[in-house]
């Protein structure tokens, strides 16, 4: 499974960006898809996750109310709408997917076998 993350860029604080994660398998049916990020000099951290079939979503506390993860069935992508961006959101954002992720492991990067190449999000102050 190959994943392609896109949509990153440079935005001012308070602005918005929308990231998309596409799969080479044409559908994320039966997959959990997670968005993670890694800032310079920091460890990779969970941002949001979605179970395609059930629509269950999960968010890291610092992005709740600002970020929304959703599935786009027409495009077979999992999107991350990021609003009210802050400079501390600056990072490379990665999407990851796996079919065998239990609910409690959605925030755990070790639960995912398939990763995209990352897209850089830079938020200026």
């Amino acid at each position: 499974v190959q994943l392609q993350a896109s949509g990153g860029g440079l935005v001012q604080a308070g602005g918005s960006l929308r990231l998309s994660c596409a799969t080479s398998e044409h559908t994320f049916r039966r997959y959990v898809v997670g968005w993670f990020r890694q800032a310079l000099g920091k460890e990779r951290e969970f941002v949001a996750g979605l179970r395609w079939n059930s629509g269950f979503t999960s968010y890291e506390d610092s992005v709740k109310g600002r970020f929304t993860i959703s599935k786009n069935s027409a495009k077979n992508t999992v999107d991350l709408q990021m609003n009210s961006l802050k400079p501390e959101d600056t990072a490379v954002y990665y999407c990851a997917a796996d079919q065998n992720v239990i609910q409690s492991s959605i925030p755990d990067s070790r639960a995912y076998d398939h990763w995209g190449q990352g897209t850089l999000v830079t938020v200026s102050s």
Side-chain angles (χ1 to χ4, degrees), residues 28-80:
F28 280 117
R29 191 164 57 95
R30 289 194 290 271
Y31 279 85
V32 170
V33 179
W35 282 98
F36 293 79
R37 65 186 179 188
Q38 187 165 18
L40 193 63
K42 295 188 177 181
E43 293 189 354
R44 188 170 299 186
E45 66 173 359
F46 172 73
V47 176
L50 176 143
R51 186 179 297 278
W52 184 276
N53 282 358
S54 68
F56 173 83
T57 59
S58 176
Y59 296 92
E60 193 270 330
D61 285 347
S62 70
V63 307
K64 285 180 180 177
R66 299 190 298 125
F67 291 10
T68 302
I69 189 170
S70 62
K71 61 182 183 182
N72 186 325
S73 299
K75 295 183 177 181
N76 290 314
T77 62
V78 173
D79 299 338
L80 184 69

Side-chain angles (χ1 to χ4, degrees), residues 5 34-38 44 92-96 115-119:
W35 282 98
F36 293 79
R37 65 186 179 188
Q38 187 165 18
R44 188 170 299 186
V92 177
Y93 283 69
Y94 300 89
C95 63
W115 290 81
Q117 83 289 359
T119 185

